[in-house]
Amino acid sequence: MKEKLSAMFDGDADEETSRMLFDRIRRDAALRGTWDAYCLLGDVVRSGAQPGMEGFVARVMSRLEAEPTVLAPRRTENKSAPRLLRHRLLPVAASVMGVLAVGGVVAALSDEERPTLVVVSPSPDGAAAVNTASSFIVDSAPPRATGVARRDYLAAHQAMTGGGPVPAAVQYVRTVSAQAEE
Amino acid sequence: MSDREIDQQLVERIQGGDKQAFGLLVSKYQRKLYRLLARLVRDPAEVEDLAQETFIKAYRALGSFRGESAFYTWLYRIGINTAKNYLAAQGRRVSASSGLDSSEAESAEGGERLRDLDTPERQLMTRQIAQTVDEAMADLPAELREAITLRELEGLSYEDIASAMGCPIGTVRSRIFRAREAIAARLRPLLGTRADERW
């Protein structure tokens, strides 16, 4: 037991062994005396003459009897792995997600073949299938030339009208309106 | 486990309600703290009172100690503040030569001579302890003396000592333990063994 205590002083004991040693020290006054002696001789060998402190620990512990017991909630995040996750991996993950999000927006905006949503009004005779709505949304894939022409038109329109209250976002906002023919 | 991890384990035991674990920290740091405070306050009785007060304050504050710094760094800061407040209440000031307004305070582990103002009894005890350790070291077999010196003075790991001494790590562990036991056996009569000095 004392040899393990000596090894613990030198950082050569794992967590489980040191926990076991502290449990034992709590019950064993002789082992506490060994702890005292090892502390003292280490101080003397390292730093030379030491102040005589005989009985000091007993006096402090006697005063502690009048003190309420310290109770603090046990931390669940003091292990290295969760700390590593929180401080290193999460920022990296957030950066990757940010790049993916921006990349997704860019890819979506540059995709010429994507379906375009247009709003049309139902014709009186063709409304049978959707006759409960006054208008509905359908997908259509306009020809490439139409898409390019619309983009050019919108770019020219934005250049003429200037930026709105949110200039950076305005260029991505497109509005299309159509009037149903009577 | 490193020294700091061992301290943290003791702190967590105290935070879990194990008061006696605090005694192990007191035993470990009492002399370092005393030397620190002796740079601020000259009267040995005042130094001891301040050392006690520092440990009591540390115990009361341990519930909020989260291990962001090493335990001894935290303790020393409490000690310095306790001493400064004490001196301020007395209308006294910290001397500029103490060097305790700088980061030097955290590494003030001694090496400087203990004050000549110490009581004769304490001076005698100081001399006896140093002499006993010196004699016990001198009486050790060479391989034990070399092992404990490389560990305590040079701070080498068991692995490095094994390499330096050309022996297995298990042999290093055993030699250091036997050296400590031989020295501790000579020290025990000097340590408090009276009933009122046990904890």
Side-chain angles (χ1 to χ4, degrees), chain A residues 3 17 55 83 103 130 136 142 152 167 173:
Chain A
E3 186 165 351
T17 303
R83 189 170 292 173
V130 288
F136 60 94
D152 290 346
V173 178

Side-chain angles (χ1 to χ4, degrees), chain A residues 128-165:
Chain A
V130 288
N131 57 4
T132 57
S134 59
S135 65
F136 60 94
I137 299 173
V138 295
D139 283 349
S140 69
R144 181 182 179 84
T146 307
V148 171
R150 184 182 301 142
R151 172 174 293 186
D152 290 346
Y153 168 76
L154 288 172
H157 174 73
Q158 284 161 3
M160 292 294 291
T161 56

Side-chain angles (χ1 to χ4, degrees), chain B:
Chain B
M1 289 183 77
S2 68
D3 203 39
R4 180 170 174 169
E5 287 170 333
I6 288 171
D7 287 355
Q8 186 58 34
Q9 195 176 104
L10 283 170
V11 165
E12 286 171 10
R13 291 181 78 94
I14 299 160
Q15 290 173 337
D18 181 0
K19 255 185 190 179
Q20 203 163 44
F22 191 70
L24 300 179
L25 289 172
V26 176
S27 175
K28 185 174 179 179
Y29 291 116
Q30 56 180 328
R31 286 170 286 272
K32 286 180 183 176
L33 182 65
Y34 186 96
R35 288 199 304 271
L36 179 80
L37 295 172
R39 299 173 66 178
L40 291 160
V41 180
R42 300 179 70 84
D43 181 358
E46 287 179 321
V47 174
E48 165 140 358
D49 286 347
L50 286 172
Q52 279 194 34
E53 200 58 40
T54 300
F55 278 118
I56 297 296
K57 282 183 180 174
Y59 179 79
R60 287 174 184 156
L62 259 181
S64 58
F65 179 73
R66 289 286 171 268
E68 283 86 3
S69 62
F71 173 78
Y72 69 83
T73 305
W74 182 75
L75 177 72
Y76 281 9
R77 286 183 187 141
I78 294 174
I80 289 168
N81 288 335
T82 302
K84 284 181 174 175
N85 291 341
Y86 172 77
L87 291 173
Q90 304 265 314
R92 292 145 67 184
R93 290 198 306 176
V94 178
S95 70
S97 62
S98 67
L100 296 179
D101 283 327
S102 66
S103 57
E104 179 193 350
E106 292 175 17
S107 59
E109 295 205 358
E112 79 272 20
R113 187 170 298 170
L114 292 169
R115 293 191 181 287
D116 294 335
L117 296 172
D118 224 344
T119 61
E121 294 79 13
R122 201 184 287 273
Q123 286 182 33
L124 177 63
M125 177 63 78
T126 297
R127 279 200 303 273
Q128 279 183 332
I129 289 171
Q131 188 178 349
T132 301
V133 172
D134 285 348
E135 288 173 0
M137 287 279 282
D139 291 344
L140 288 175
E143 69 272 16
L144 301 194
R145 184 167 58 248
E146 186 179 358
I148 190 78
T149 302
L150 288 174
R151 174 60 212 157
E152 293 285 14
L153 268 182
E154 306 297 334
L156 298 188
S157 66
Y158 280 6
E159 193 176 1
D160 290 341
I161 297 171
S163 176
M165 297 184 72
C167 62
I169 287 180
T171 305
V172 170
R173 186 182 299 118
S174 170
R175 284 177 179 172
I176 291 176
F177 164 64
R178 282 155 55 204
R180 281 202 173 109
E181 271 302 288
I183 302 169
R186 307 267 283 264
L187 276 175
R188 282 194 185 100
L190 299 176
L191 297 176
T193 52
R194 296 201 312 263
D196 63 332
E197 291 180 343
R198 285 193 216 113
W199 58 282

